[in-house]
Amino acid sequence: MDILREYQNIDASHRGASVAIGNFDGVHLGHQKVLDLARQGPGPLGVLTFEPHPREVFFPEAPPFRLMSATARANRLAKLGVETLFELSFNTDLSGLTAREFAQSVLADGLGLSRVVVGADFCFGKGRAGDVATLKDFGAEFGFEVVVADILQGDTGAAVSSTNIRKALSDGNPRAAAAMLGHWHRVDGPVVHGEKRGRELGFPTANMNLDGLHLPKLGTYAVLVDVLEGPHAGSYHGAASLGVRPMFNGSVPNLETFLFDFKGDLYGTPLSVGLVDFLRPEQSFNGIDALIAQMDADCQQARAILRDL
């Protein structure tokens, strides 16, 4: 998959694409529906998105909200067959374009798109002044087809959306999130050095940063782990602690994953950890022995859950 970060002076081979537009945070089932409609158009399949996420630009002091990093999003889109990712740099110039300027300068003249697919709630241009009706008018004027995808409803009747996925994760319900995502919610990234306390307790863990990501409910989870590279590449079952380690006066949340029946060094290795079930909230214990006993019980519970998948 090719990744382009500017819309000016692109190569002719990237023009004429059929493109789905959106933030694609999570690449959930609603996003995939938009992608499928774009797939039916002429030209190569593309996605038009923005980096950084516009919400990070307009509300820089807001708590982290992203379901996935830009790298994880690109990897997921590539697996779904996207040929070109137009990951445009969201800056002052781009955010200042009116709806008409965006349609003409970016979509038509810049990228030369043949088909544009958006969700029914799509807004664009300075002040979010443009909507799907406006976009259809501009498409007719500037020569690109516009297709509008209805909002996908989940099994419960609620819309499949990044907002509702975040809520499910905050509630400690990763299976509800997975039902909207179409896959387990995953934390992707390299293994970093921690305090190595898990090793001292008999549960060596692979530690991962959660910088910039929405925090699911803090606690212990049954997880599926993919080691993506290196001599230990493969899939494993495990239990993970997501939190600040209150017994040890921690303050920065991270993800510590214990891989069952695994021996080896994973420092620097990229992992993908899928949250399957929430086991218990984060808590303090009356001493190390009580903590170890609970960790052993967590692992037994996680093994039983994952065995049935």
Side-chain angles (χ1 to χ4, degrees):
M1 182 179 72
D2 295 325
I3 300 178
L4 279 66
R5 294 190 167 84
E6 303 296 337
Y7 63 88
Q8 301 96 335
N9 304 313
I10 70 169
D11 190 88
S13 63
H14 292 120
R15 299 179 67 82
S18 178
V19 165
I21 304 180
N23 290 313
F24 285 84
D25 188 24
V27 195
H28 56 60
L29 291 175
H31 294 144
Q32 293 173 44
K33 178 181 178 181
V34 177
L35 270 178
D36 286 341
L37 290 172
R39 203 185 308 274
Q40 298 169 19
L45 175 62
V47 161
L48 170 57
T49 190
F50 308 97
E51 189 61 34
H53 192 295
R55 185 169 157 185
E56 294 175 316
V57 175
F58 293 128
F59 306 103
E61 302 304 319
F65 65 92
R66 293 181 70 146
L67 294 170
M68 58 186 359
S69 67
T71 299
R73 178 179 62 189
N75 290 339
R76 175 67 60 177
L77 292 172
K79 289 178 181 178
L80 292 173
V82 174
E83 298 169 75
T84 306
L85 174 58
F86 300 102
E87 191 181 79
L88 301 187
S89 299
F90 194 77
N91 52 33
T92 302
D93 290 340
L94 189 63
S95 65
L97 295 178
T98 66
R100 167 176 283 275
E101 289 169 339
F102 180 81
Q104 182 172 15
S105 299
V106 178
L107 304 184
D109 297 343
L111 302 180
L113 303 180
S114 61
R115 168 182 279 205
V116 170
V117 183
V118 296
D121 57 352
F122 178 71
C123 294
F124 66 105
K126 185 177 181 179
R128 295 171 58 84
D131 58 15
V132 293
T134 313
L135 186 63
K136 285 186 174 182
D137 290 341
F138 289 146
E141 181 178 354
F142 298 131
F144 54 84
E145 179 187 10
V146 175
V147 177
V148 179
D150 293 332
I151 302 300
L152 184 65
Q153 304 297 316
D155 293 339
T156 64
V160 173
S161 69
S162 299
T163 298
N164 286 337
I165 292 167
R166 291 186 198 102
K167 183 179 186 306
L169 293 170
S170 295
D171 291 344
N173 194 348
R175 288 187 184 259
M180 291 183 277
L181 286 164
H183 52 84
W184 301 113
H185 174 66
R186 289 185 169 271
V187 176
D188 296 344
V191 176
V192 299
H193 286 275
E195 297 175 357
K196 301 179 176 58
R197 191 171 284 114
R199 180 183 303 172
E200 297 170 1
L201 299 175
F203 296 89
T205 57
N207 298 305
M208 300 167 69
N209 291 327
L210 298 169
D211 296 344
L213 298 180
H214 171 77
L215 284 179
K217 186 174 182 178
L218 301 187
T220 301
Y221 290 82
V223 297
L224 297 173
V225 185
D226 289 331
V227 179
L228 301 179
E229 296 177 5
H232 304 294
S235 298
Y236 303 84
H237 292 177
S241 173
L242 193 159
V244 297
R245 305 167 304 284
M247 279 191 68
F248 304 103
N249 300 315
S251 60
V252 179
N254 72 347
L255 185 68
E256 300 177 86
T257 304
F258 175 59
L259 283 67
F260 300 152
D261 309 313
F262 176 85
K263 292 183 179 180
D265 185 347
L266 292 174
Y267 290 120
T269 302
L271 300 190
S272 180
V273 179
L275 306 185
V276 175
D277 266 333
F278 181 80
L279 303 183
R280 63 172 176 87
E282 188 172 44
Q283 60 193 103
S284 294
F285 296 89
N286 293 321
I288 296 299
D289 290 343
L291 172 60
I292 292 174
Q294 182 60 61
M295 292 170 70
D296 186 63
D298 294 337
C299 291
Q300 294 306 315
Q301 185 181 359
R303 285 182 185 272
I305 290 169
L306 299 170
R307 191 182 302 125
D308 294 335
L309 290 183

